[in-house]
Amino acid sequence: MILRPDGDGRGVVAIGQASHAWLAGQLARAWGNERFAAPEPREEVVLGAVQHDIGMAAWDLRPERHPDTGLPRQFFELDRRTHLALWTAAPERVLSQSRYAALLVSLHGTGLYERFPPKTDDPGILRAVDEYLGGQRALQEELTAQLGVADDELARNRALVAVWDDLSLALCRDERGPHAGPGAPATAAGAGSVRVPLTLTRSAPDTYTLDPWPFAAPHVVVRAEGRRLDGPSADEPALHAALDRAPVLTVEVRLEAPG
């Protein structure tokens, strides 16, 4: 769950991870120009972007209430064991659609734990993380062998999903300051594995520039859906009831080329 500020400071738009991932998939479909190549294989990679947070879809329908805020726990506030369980199940939910997309979902999950290892000395948590990583790496080896995918292709597409995920999170959260995310794979002649830093800047409400520009069109419009909550709830049943009756809002954002 992502909580986007809305209104007077008490209200928020609760955007599910699956809708955030849908927005990431819209970025993936629009991606590509003379400097940044379109994803390849296109449909499989776009599907991987759309489904990269599929493990959290059911959880977001009945999220836990954060005791300090009275609002749903956001994705970075989840209990570690819950987070591991959701990410362990995620690739299997995509296998019946596409092995390639399932492989990207698995790689995205392990990439999160490799880049952001849990800050804990709890041996149970550390053991659970190791078990998760070991199981996912075995699945990744199996799927990579089945598909015959080259390492450099996987590395590029894994990096692209991470870029789209990061951009979508910034847009869904309505970040106000310049946002520098992970570098995007470059495709200029001789660029090899060069990663180009992208800077997202909010220029007006629901309007951003992205520099350098990675899309073919001069502007791109993307959207996600969320439920508007007027404020905190006293307990978890009250929160779930508030979500059930909350109006559904479409968050639409325009991206423009700089200059």
Side-chain angles (χ1 to χ4, degrees), residues 29-96:
R29 284 198 176 279
W31 194 270
N33 57 25
E34 66 281 354
R35 186 171 184 183
F36 298 93
E40 181 62 38
R42 185 174 187 270
E43 291 302 325
E44 287 85 346
V45 179
V46 170
L47 180 60
V50 171
Q51 297 287 49
H52 79 264
D53 271 342
I54 191 64
M56 296 187 181
W59 190 94
D60 278 343
L61 292 174
R62 282 293 180 267
E64 293 178 3
R65 172 184 173 275
H66 196 297
D68 295 337
T69 66
L71 296 170
R73 285 189 183 273
Q74 299 195 69
F75 67 96
F76 55 85
E77 298 169 331
L78 290 182
D79 169 81
R80 183 58 59 185
R81 293 187 187 278
T82 299
H83 192 268
L84 285 166
L86 296 177
W87 273 102
T88 298
E92 294 182 3
R93 298 182 183 278
V94 189
L95 276 173
S96 63

Side-chain angles (χ1 to χ4, degrees), residues 49 52 60 68 109 115 119 134 137 149 172 174 196:
H52 79 264
D60 278 343
D68 295 337
R115 295 198 306 275
K119 298 176 181 178
R137 286 166 180 158
V149 187
C172 287
D174 194 23
V196 179

Side-chain angles (χ1 to χ4, degrees), residues 17-27 49-50 52 168 223-225:
Q17 294 298 114
S19 197
H20 137 70
W22 174 41
L23 193 155
Q26 295 165 52
L27 296 173
V50 171
H52 79 264
S168 177
R223 62 188 183 274
E225 289 187 358

